[in-house]
Amino acid sequence: YEKRHASARGLVQGSVVVLRNRDAGILAETGGRQFYKDRSSVSSDFNRATKSLRQPGSAMKPIVYLAAFRKGTFNLDTTVPDEPISVSDGEDRDAKWIANYDGQFKGLIPLRMALAESRNAVAVWITEQIGIASVLETAHNLGIETPLHPYPTTALGASEVNLLELANAYRTIASGMLTQPHVIRKIVLDSGEVIAGGGHRSSPVDVDAGALALIQEGLRGVVRIPGGTAHALDSGGLPFAVMGKTGTTNEFRDALFVGSTYGPDGITVAVRIGFDDNRSLGAEETGGRVALPVFREIVTGAYGKKLVGPAPRFPAEMEQRIDVYLKGDLVETR
């Protein structure tokens, strides 16, 4: 990014969180760059991964789709309308027409395509069908604790969250286990006695396994489907399978990517790049262009250096259904 924008050198900020899927152990975290304005930031106590509330942009959409899957009336091949739609963010506000990033509408399309291509109009339409309360409930069930606004634009990431809880929501999706991120595994006295209550409990997430499998397959499609906002990970020859979602906020103020390898044995990595003063990163500086390469470098290093064990594979039937979709055939999902 700094090579494209020389004036941003030493100024653009970022944060990264790496979580172990099984128990939400924080494997790595950085709340900012090492040097800011050519000065060491070692004494700074502002952690952008935990203390900075910023909009997640389209990284919020998987929660909308999971909420829809929980209703039982949607699956990945449900036909949904990518058509002009308007929303209101309160009684005294005028309706706002929702546009897609490419400025186009594709009409009736499969839901898995809408997710892969991050169609804004579809996310808002689905939210209208299921109700914003369902989206907020699902976000809470995944571990997001920051209060979200009960407005339709929350489906597009208008409500602020911190990066750690967003990472944990994706980790919950990847693993099916709900728990809180932590650094300290246990506390042991000099005598060897382990202090009671120092452990971290995990429990199955309060989401139907079928719905969870659908969003996992959908997020894998974001990477595998041409036109998907994270397809660069697939076409770029990443040597293991990942799922994830990009996020780009209004006027390109923040660029995000959150992705996971599959299941309890995988990891989840969340990346956010932006300026502290909330200025724009610049036209076309999307999550896929700015944050995704950071994700790729981190997961490639983690698995290439064998820091986290072998990368898990996605279920064969999940990959096969995506194969069938890519061949243009009808896919049956349950």
Side-chain angles (χ1 to χ4, degrees), residues 50-71:
T50 59
K51 296 181 179 179
S52 179
L53 291 175
R54 304 285 283 256
Q55 294 181 348
S58 292
M60 182 69 185
K61 289 175 183 172
I63 298 175
V64 175
Y65 283 87
L66 177 56
F69 296 147
R70 294 179 72 189
K71 291 289 186 180

Side-chain angles (χ1 to χ4, degrees), residues 107-182:
L108 295 175
I109 59 174
L111 187 147
R112 73 169 74 230
M113 176 190 290
L115 174 58
E117 297 185 2
S118 200
R119 312 303 289 179
N120 292 335
V122 174
V124 169
W125 180 84
I126 288 176
T127 300
E128 287 188 347
Q129 305 307 303
I130 64 175
I132 187 63
S134 296
V135 176
L136 302 186
E137 178 187 8
T138 299
H140 181 73
N141 288 345
L142 293 176
I144 290 182
E145 297 183 346
T146 299
L148 303 176
H149 298 303
Y151 302 137
T153 51
T154 290
L156 304 180
S159 291
E160 297 176 336
V161 297
N162 69 57
L163 189 66
L164 179 59
E165 62 185 345
L166 185 64
N168 194 39
Y170 276 70
R171 181 210 60 79
T172 305
I173 287 173
S175 68
M177 301 300 295
L178 181 64
T179 189
Q180 290 300 311
H182 60 277

Side-chain angles (χ1 to χ4, degrees), residues 239-252:
F240 44 84
V242 299
M243 59 184 171
K245 184 72 184 68
T246 53
T248 308
T249 63
N250 285 342
E251 299 180 11
F252 303 98

Side-chain angles (χ1 to χ4, degrees), residues 41 49 56 83 106 111 158 174 220 324:
S41 57
E83 298 171 348
K106 294 190 173 183
L111 187 147
R220 178 70 179 130
V324 172

